[in-house]
Each structure stands twice: as C-alpha cells, then as structure tokens.
Amino acid sequence: MSSLLKSAKSIVPLLDRVLVQRVKAETKTASGLYLPEKNVEKLNQATVLAVGPGFTDSNGNKVTPAVKVGEKVLIPQFGGSPIKIGNDDEVILFRDSEILAKIQE
C-alpha cells in the first residue's frame, strides 16, 4: 500500500476474513534488563480486532467465522496479509480457516 492507514477501525473485513493484531512480547527480562527490539521474538498470539460477516457456501448454507471481536487467538507464524497502521503498528488479515485456535482465559 502506498499510503499509511490511520487506524485499524477503518478496515472492515469481507466474507470470512479476520483482522488481528499480534500480542507484543515483553521487552524486559525478569531481572529488569531491556531487550533490543530486533531480539524480541514475534508471538503467535493475537487479539481479534474485526470479523467479516461470513459467506454462503455452494449448498446455500451461511458460514460465519468461528471467532469474535476481542477474543485471543493462536495464528500461524507465517501467512496472512500484513497491513501497516500509522508509523509503527501492524495488523494482519487472515481467513477464518487459517486461525489455529482460540485461547481460553
């Protein structure tokens, strides 16, 4: 994308797409040392920001996404469509079928 989006609220997923944002890993160790950003691992956990309405399958049945806004989910390490928000943030657009699991709290 050539221009940066100002907020994730301006993105409305279509069909069975799910918009998520990765949970940020701790940048501070248990002993209080701060880690450089390049050494912090990307977590596979994300928060669902928006969910599409679903789609109609070939039999005419309505298929709705299995996740809801606000839920914590497990996402694959690679895949999805990353979208830059503002200067630093990034959100990712996945298909509902690509989400690996819900995280119960």
Side-chain angles (χ1 to χ4, degrees):
M1 290 188 138
S2 60
S3 65
L4 293 175
L5 296 170
K6 301 230 188 288
S7 87
K9 292 181 181 179
S10 63
I11 301 170
V12 180
L14 300 176
L15 300 173
D16 65 336
R17 308 273 189 326
V18 179
L19 186 69
V20 299
Q21 185 170 31
R22 282 189 194 271
V23 174
K24 296 193 188 236
E26 289 292 321
T27 57
K28 191 165 113 174
T29 64
S31 61
L33 298 174
Y34 286 95
L35 298 171
E37 220 174 278
K38 67 179 180 175
N39 292 355
V40 176
E41 247 183 75
K42 284 188 176 180
L43 296 178
N44 286 12
Q45 296 177 22
T47 303
V48 176
L49 301 177
V51 179
F55 66 96
T56 304
D57 67 8
S58 59
N59 296 329
N61 299 323
K62 180 81 172 175
V63 179
T64 58
V67 296
K68 295 181 178 77
V69 174
E71 289 183 325
K72 300 273 188 220
V73 294
L74 196 62
I75 58 174
Q77 186 69 27
F78 301 101
S81 300
I83 303 166
K84 289 277 189 195
I85 302 291
N87 293 329
D88 298 335
D89 289 338
E90 182 179 84
V91 294
I92 308 167
L93 201 57
F94 283 102
R95 286 190 176 276
D96 181 53
S97 60
E98 295 174 334
I99 303 288
L100 302 175
K102 289 184 190 181
I103 299 173
Q104 302 289 335
E105 293 185 10

